[in-house]
Amino acid sequence: MVLNKPQVTRVLILALPETAGSALYGMVDVLMATGTLWQTLVGDSAPFRPFDVRIVSVTRSSFRCGHGIPVEPECAIAEDPLLDVLILPEIWLGPDEDIGGRYNGLMTWINRKYREGVTVYSACSGSVLLAESGLLDHCEATSHWGYQELFRTRYPKVRFRPEANLVYAHPGGRLVTAGGTTSWHDLALHIIARYVGIGEAMRIAKVYLLKWHGEGQLPYTSLVRRTHHADSAVRRCEEWLRENYRDAKAVTRLVRASGLPERTIKRRFKAATGVSIMEYLQNLRIEQAKRALEQGDLSVEAVCVEAGYEDVSFFRRLFKRLTGLTPGQYRRMFRPLTVENSPNPSQRIQ
């Protein structure tokens, strides 16, 4: 007998042609299995279904989403289906693409449902839809770290947090964004814990081997990304830094090499790339350090020198600030991937 049987929560998961099928059906599967899978496998309590999960789209017409995966919506937004929770999963969208104008009717519907009291969640690039709707204006939000530049240029009113794996945009928890790609795992566990209970969330995590990404997105984030801008002088500066980042006087020599006044090149560099010259240089150096930790056996002190730093204490603090992990923790997290896939069997983890 199940005591305190949870109320059934009506969940709609949005599907569009741009939707990633793995995130869409993964979320459907996990939420539908809540209350039943562990109970069936272990038999310690009677199964129950806390979620009524359906796929919603702009119309009921069947279509194929990302990678040609078929989708048959169970309801359309024009039918005004009843719901308590709306989930916007990942969509396939290039970091320089513009989704503006594609789904004006959908934007209106999302806004109306939110005003009516529906709780809205997004996973990965699903937050781009929320940003386009305007619901994230003047709010904190996250998404895949690769969309940092997109949010900076197209949705400047959103306070983007690329390091987080789950962000409350609304203080009451009615607007929640999750980070990159498999952070839908974190979002699913969060939803289960919130509407069913922490115990059931832990059971689902055990059954599906889902991992809560408590370390956030920083360890996975590429610190150096090419931004699209038309400033040729800044582009030359970026290329110069990529070749000379180990130089102890890189910033001074870069300014001299640019042929522009120091204040001018620093201002233009920040305007074009979104970061200062020093921040860009530090990002290049820490990226080099990350690669060394992933692929080699150099000591942290040697990695520090290879990256262009002399003060190991400063290097450790900077590395932790930019990646969320100490150099040692980073090596333990990512080194096994390199060793496990090494062509030399003696180097593989047993």
Side-chain angles (χ1 to χ4, degrees):
M1 180 178 181
V2 178
L3 298 178
N4 299 321
K5 182 177 178 180
Q7 179 180 347
V8 174
T9 300
R10 299 165 296 188
V11 178
L12 291 186
I13 304 180
L14 178 69
L16 300 170
E18 297 90 346
T19 298
S22 59
L24 171 65
Y25 287 114
M27 184 69 78
V28 170
D29 188 45
V30 168
L31 293 184
M32 289 292 287
T34 301
T36 63
L37 188 52
W38 174 274
Q39 290 73 7
T40 301
L41 289 174
V42 179
D44 63 351
S45 60
F48 61 96
R49 286 197 178 276
F51 296 113
D52 172 27
V53 183
R54 293 187 293 164
I55 294 176
V56 65
S57 189
V58 176
T59 70
R60 273 185 180 257
S61 301
S62 60
F63 60 91
R64 292 183 178 273
C65 66
H67 292 159
I69 298 174
V71 178
E72 293 189 8
E74 296 163 90
C75 53
I77 61 174
E79 299 169 10
D80 202 21
L82 296 175
L83 72 157
D84 304 300
V85 168
L86 174 64
I87 300 174
L88 313 179
E90 175 188 0
I91 57 176
W92 292 108
L93 187 72
D96 57 346
E97 285 187 61
D98 187 357
I99 202 169
R102 291 191 199 177
Y103 297 107
N104 292 335
L106 175 62
M107 299 299 107
T108 301
W109 181 77
I110 292 173
N111 268 277
R112 179 162 60 84
K113 287 297 148 186
Y114 179 72
R115 291 195 304 270
E116 291 173 358
V118 170
T119 299
V120 183
Y121 299 94
S122 72
C124 190
S125 48
S127 63
V128 176
L129 293 172
L130 280 182
E132 183 65 26
S133 75
L135 286 177
L136 294 180
D137 285 358
H138 312 296
C139 297
E140 290 190 341
T142 190
S143 184
H144 191 286
W145 52 262
Y147 291 96
Q148 186 171 355
E149 179 68 11
L150 183 148
F151 272 81
R152 183 179 77 88
T153 57
R154 297 198 175 143
Y155 307 110
K157 294 181 181 179
V158 180
R159 299 195 297 272
F160 189 74
R161 292 183 53 195
E163 80 285 357
N165 70 321
L166 212 65
V167 171
Y168 284 71
H170 183 280
R174 288 191 46 237
L175 201 57
V176 181
T177 57
T181 314
T182 56
S183 64
W184 72 261
H185 298 177
D186 304 69
L187 184 59
L189 294 176
H190 167 78
I191 291 171
I192 295 168
R194 182 172 182 180
Y195 292 93
V196 186
I198 293 176
E200 183 61 17
M202 292 179 65
R203 288 187 281 270
I204 285 293
K206 291 176 181 178
V207 172
Y208 280 91
L209 274 67
L210 299 182
K211 176 184 178 294
W212 180 266
H213 297 86
E215 69 278 2
Q217 294 194 91
L218 281 183
Y220 307 92
T221 303
S222 174
L223 297 173
V224 180
R225 296 178 294 280
R226 289 193 179 275
T227 55
H228 298 278
H229 61 79
D231 195 322
S232 58
V234 172
R235 187 67 71 197
R236 288 193 297 272
C237 289
E238 291 179 88
E239 293 171 357
W240 191 95
L241 285 172
R242 288 174 184 272
E243 295 176 1
N244 299 278
Y245 64 87
R246 290 189 179 92
D247 192 320
K249 297 181 179 180
V251 175
T252 300
R253 289 174 178 168
L254 170 68
V255 170
R256 188 182 307 135
S258 74
L260 296 170
E262 181 175 353
R263 292 183 61 181
T264 299
I265 188 58
K266 287 183 175 180
R267 174 180 54 78
R268 286 172 58 175
F269 195 98
K270 178 69 177 287
T273 67
V275 296
S276 68
I277 293 175
M278 178 55 72
E279 288 172 321
Y280 193 92
L281 175 62
Q282 289 177 335
N283 289 343
L284 284 170
R285 288 175 170 177
I286 297 303
E287 276 298 317
Q288 168 60 28
K290 286 162 65 176
R291 300 292 84 77
L293 292 168
E294 292 165 6
Q295 301 170 8
D297 296 314
L298 292 176
S299 67
V300 172
E301 290 75 13
V303 170
C304 168
V305 174
E306 281 291 310
Y309 293 106
E310 297 180 357
D311 187 334
V312 178
S313 295
F314 174 80
F315 168 73
R316 289 179 184 273
R317 291 194 302 271
L318 180 64
F319 192 96
K320 177 69 179 292
R321 179 167 65 83
L322 294 182
T323 70
L325 302 173
T326 66
Q329 290 171 332
Y330 186 90
R331 170 171 271 161
R332 286 191 292 274
M333 175 178 281
F334 291 102
R335 176 67 170 156
L337 298 176
T338 305
V339 175
E340 179 63 26
N341 290 282
S342 169
N344 184 353
S346 66
Q347 294 182 356
R348 293 179 185 167
I349 297 174
Q350 303 297 318

